[in-house]
Amino acid sequence: MQATRQNAASQQGFDKTCDLLVVGSGGGALTAAVTAKRAGLDVIVTEKMPYFGGTTATSGGMLWIPGNHHSPALQDRLDEPDSLDVARRYIIEEAGNYADIDRIDAYIKYGPEMIDFLERESHVRFFGQEYPDYNMDHRDARRTRSLSPVEYSTKHLGKNALKLKPELKQLLFLGFAVGSSVEMKQFFKAGRSPKAFAGVAVKMARHLLDTAIHGAPRRVVRGRALITRLAQTLFELEVPILLSSPVVELIVEDGVVRGAVIEGPEGRRRIGARKGVVLGSGGFPWDNKRRAEAYPANAQDGTPRSVANPGNTGDGARLAESVGGVFSAEISNAGAWMPTSVRPDVQGPDAVWPHLVDRLKPGFICVSPSARRFGNESAAYSAFVPMMLEGAKDVPMAFAWLIGDKQAVDRWGIGRVRPKPMPRKSFIKSGYLIEAKSIEDLARKTGLDATQLRATVERFNTDARVGLDTEFRRGSNAYDAYQGDDDHTGPNLCLAPLEQAPYYAIKMYPGEIGTFAGIRTDRYARVVDEAGQPVQGLYAVGNDQLNVFGGAYPGAGATLGPGLTFGYVAGRHAAGLLD
């Protein structure tokens, strides 16, 4: 991708002009578009995929925004006071040597302002969610900083609903998208609780009726609810979202980015942008060349195992570099890590499963290729994968085995395998799920050392019976406990011995929900050059932007929180409302 440099007289050669051209259609990009349009700018959104929504549409949809106006009610109920100064200290210490204080201060300042704006000027609505920050051992961590979008209906999009990115099929239950963590727990309990079963039955009946009448379910939750609400706002404001229209070049005139060349259904077109271009193309999780350059050596082998949008192939970084911008991997974690597994008989992104639930529950452990535990299985995914990488540092591509006994797998499922009474024979036949009659049999089938695996399980079982993990302190803080089993009768909500055959195992790999390495920007989301000076007329938001937390992951929603915040900042700055 190259920049097209011309003199000012060539401006009349544009096929179409606007004030601000937004590249991408995830949460950060659409927030930039809404903000700029509400500020009076003429906006065009362009998206390379045949649908809009980006990774946001298939994400959990949570935002981590300290100081948001929904937090005080939670703080009062939990008796957990918070302030922006406390949150700022937490972020800076989590970012460590990679802390960019100026950008952190911008995030702290504009995040709450962004929430107020969206709830006032768009269809977006949030609710405060009690959700522990990811490092609850830190004195400044809290349980009141995360927000979730209120569920919605695609009926508001009319015919544009057909262009909304579909859910990840593997995460649906008979086509039903589970929303909040409370609803998820209800589904897990449905096989053993008449009350939970009745609640799930009612929801499934409504879902099936909706599908029968309309041809598809209309209820949207999590990230799809957020995208639906943002998109409805844009459609009502008559902001076009051009699909199947990737940007292939940036147009620079007199040292300022003034537009872009897109390849769309109508062919190649030059779009002029008087106030500039916003890059929000989703980072590089499906760009193997960039992954090889930025990731630890044993975190990639040329086969992405990602739940991110497959259209996120590093376009933004290449475009920024073509006009003097800088891509940086100077960050603690290049990826927004997620442990994943892959069903071998399914192709593409539909094969990938993010391990968000199983490994954190009682009755599961994770072991490295050496058959030893390597960390706290209940840790946040962002912290768990670096442990996996370290535990498998001697193998070319890191992996770990997730192991559970019959009781745990019946109760929680494992990976793509649903809890009892859902069948699991097809998963065993495909090789995705390994079933064994004993620990020694499991070792043989996984290639692990049987003596070491038996010793690992016995030590864990001894700890689990007394509720104290002497190796990794699993279950010792509020995050671990929140992710455990509220109905577990043992002394630790996260620990239960593995002692009921058969035993099950699934092979997990380092994966990601997005990328943290990215384009260097300033506090106004402007792309900067090697000297730290703004590339005039060019912004980067979302996962295109170098992560504001320095590669740390402070809490639930720490990708979308900055994404939407700096989308808001970019839109405001382009409109001349920030200086």
Side-chain angles (χ1 to χ4, degrees):
M1 295 183 180
Q2 302 295 323
T4 300
R5 298 182 182 275
Q6 303 176 355
N7 58 43
S10 69
Q11 289 185 356
Q12 301 304 315
F14 292 127
D15 298 292
K16 190 175 184 63
T17 59
C18 62
D19 291 318
L20 191 68
L21 179 64
V22 177
V23 182
S25 63
L30 295 192
T31 298
V34 170
T35 304
K37 183 63 177 180
R38 286 298 194 191
L41 299 189
D42 182 22
V43 180
I44 294 175
V45 177
T46 184
E47 165 61 54
K48 72 183 291 186
M49 302 300 282
Y51 45 71
F52 63 84
T55 297
T56 304
T58 49
S59 74
M62 296 181 73
L63 277 67
W64 193 77
I65 304 290
N68 72 79
H69 69 263
H70 294 277
S71 290
L74 287 174
Q75 293 166 18
D76 291 344
R77 181 169 65 80
L78 297 171
D79 190 23
E80 193 171 277
D82 194 15
S83 71
L84 291 180
D85 287 339
V86 170
R88 180 180 186 272
R89 187 166 61 232
Y90 174 61
I91 294 169
I92 291 172
E93 292 185 11
E94 287 293 288
N97 294 333
Y98 298 99
D100 182 336
I101 303 300
D102 198 37
R103 293 176 64 222
I104 289 171
D105 285 343
Y107 167 74
I108 286 289
K109 175 180 179 181
Y110 294 116
E113 192 175 299
M114 175 270 297
I115 297 296
D116 292 344
F117 167 81
L118 286 180
E119 293 195 319
R120 184 181 66 248
E121 300 290 344
S122 80
H123 290 288
V124 175
R125 299 292 182 270
F126 297 103
F127 64 92
Q129 187 163 351
E130 178 187 339
Y131 206 103
D133 287 346
Y134 284 178
N135 182 10
M136 288 303 292
D137 290 327
H138 195 287
R139 68 188 183 283
D140 295 324
R142 295 291 187 269
R143 294 176 290 172
T144 60
R145 295 165 176 163
S146 292
L147 296 167
S148 288
V150 176
E151 69 174 65
Y152 209 46
S153 173
T154 58
K155 70 180 181 182
H156 299 291
L157 293 179
K159 63 182 181 181
N160 288 311
L162 298 174
K163 303 172 184 176
L164 174 64
K165 183 186 176 185
E167 293 273 14
L168 295 172
K169 296 177 183 177
Q170 62 269 40
L171 298 184
L172 301 177
F173 180 77
L174 299 178
F176 183 88
V178 180
S180 68
S181 57
V182 173
E183 188 172 66
M184 183 178 294
K185 290 180 180 180
Q186 183 185 46
F187 268 74
F188 276 117
K189 290 182 179 180
R192 59 182 188 273
S193 164
K195 182 179 179 181
F197 178 83
V200 168
V202 170
K203 291 176 180 179
M204 289 303 300
R206 290 174 179 168
H207 163 75
L208 294 172
L209 180 62
D210 200 24
T211 302
I213 294 174
H214 304 292
R218 285 188 165 186
R219 174 181 180 262
V220 283
V221 295
R222 305 187 308 258
R224 281 189 107 216
L226 177 60
I227 288 296
T228 299
R229 290 173 176 275
L230 285 167
Q232 182 193 353
T233 303
L234 289 173
F235 291 136
E236 289 179 358
L237 294 173
E238 299 183 343
V239 173
I241 300 179
L242 309 178
L243 300 179
S244 301
S245 300
V247 171
V248 295
E249 297 177 24
L250 291 176
I251 298 170
V252 176
E253 296 179 340
D254 300 329
V256 180
V257 175
R258 291 297 190 193
V261 178
I262 67 171
E263 290 276 12
E266 299 176 12
R268 177 169 287 221
R269 290 194 295 165
R270 293 164 44 82
I271 308 295
R274 291 177 287 271
K275 300 292 185 180
V277 175
V278 177
L279 301 174
S281 67
F284 61 97
W286 292 89
D287 178 355
N288 277 325
K289 182 176 182 298
R290 189 80 70 175
R291 285 163 56 93
E293 295 169 353
Y295 279 16
N298 66 337
Q300 60 81 35
D301 61 357
T303 302
R305 301 172 180 88
S306 178
V307 291
N309 183 19
N312 297 352
T313 56
D315 297 348
R318 290 189 291 274
L319 288 166
E321 289 174 327
S322 75
V323 296
V326 178
F327 174 88
S328 175
E330 295 179 15
I331 201 166
S332 61
N333 290 289
W337 302 124
M338 173 67 69
T340 59
S341 56
V342 181
R343 182 163 176 168
D345 57 341
V346 178
Q347 300 299 312
D350 288 346
V352 181
W353 180 268
H355 287 267
L356 286 161
V357 176
D358 43 23
R359 63 182 174 81
L360 305 100
K361 303 302 182 183
F364 291 96
I365 61 169
C366 298
V367 300
S368 70
S370 67
R372 293 175 171 85
R373 292 177 68 212
F374 50 85
N376 173 8
E377 293 92 343
S378 293
Y381 42 85
S382 54
F384 181 81
V385 170
M387 297 176 197
M388 182 193 299
L389 296 174
E390 178 63 23
K393 62 184 178 182
D394 296 327
V395 300
M397 179 64 197
F399 67 89
W401 289 102
L402 171 64
I403 299 172
D405 71 351
K406 179 182 185 301
Q407 178 174 288
V409 174
D410 284 353
R411 189 178 184 89
W412 297 104
I414 180 171
R416 298 172 69 110
V417 183
R418 305 298 188 185
K420 189 179 178 180
M422 300 302 290
R424 56 190 68 153
K425 286 186 178 180
S426 66
F427 297 99
I428 296 171
K429 183 178 180 181
S430 73
Y432 175 75
L433 178 67
I434 294 176
E435 182 181 57
K437 60 187 178 182
S438 67
I439 293 297
E440 287 71 21
D441 186 33
L442 189 70
R444 180 180 62 82
K445 290 182 175 180
T446 56
L448 294 169
D449 181 88
T451 301
Q452 181 58 57
L453 183 60
R454 169 57 69 183
T456 296
V457 172
E458 288 182 351
R459 175 173 179 176
F460 178 82
N461 286 352
T462 298
D463 284 354
R465 291 186 187 102
V466 297
L468 180 64
D469 179 6
T470 58
E471 283 192 279
F472 300 110
R473 298 178 60 244
R474 179 176 172 187
S476 64
N477 67 35
Y479 179 85
D480 291 11
Y482 182 86
Q483 300 291 355
D485 182 358
D486 294 340
D487 296 329
H488 183 49
T489 57
N492 186 317
L493 298 181
C494 302
L495 301 180
L498 284 71
E499 52 193 6
Q500 285 192 21
Y503 298 91
Y504 296 91
I506 283 179
K507 197 173 190 178
M508 297 191 303
Y509 295 91
E512 66 278 292
I513 56 176
T515 48
F516 280 163
I519 304 164
R520 287 197 176 277
T521 60
D522 66 8
R523 67 180 286 115
Y524 299 120
R526 295 180 296 187
V527 174
V528 298
D529 61 18
E530 287 282 3
Q533 297 302 306
V535 176
Q536 296 298 321
L538 188 62
Y539 302 85
V541 304
N543 289 342
D544 273 355
Q545 183 188 94
L546 181 67
N547 178 249
V548 68
F549 304 130
Y553 210 119
T559 51
L560 282 180
L564 270 67
T565 296
F566 285 105
Y568 169 78
V569 168
R572 296 274 291 176
H573 189 272
L577 300 177
L578 298 177
D579 53 29

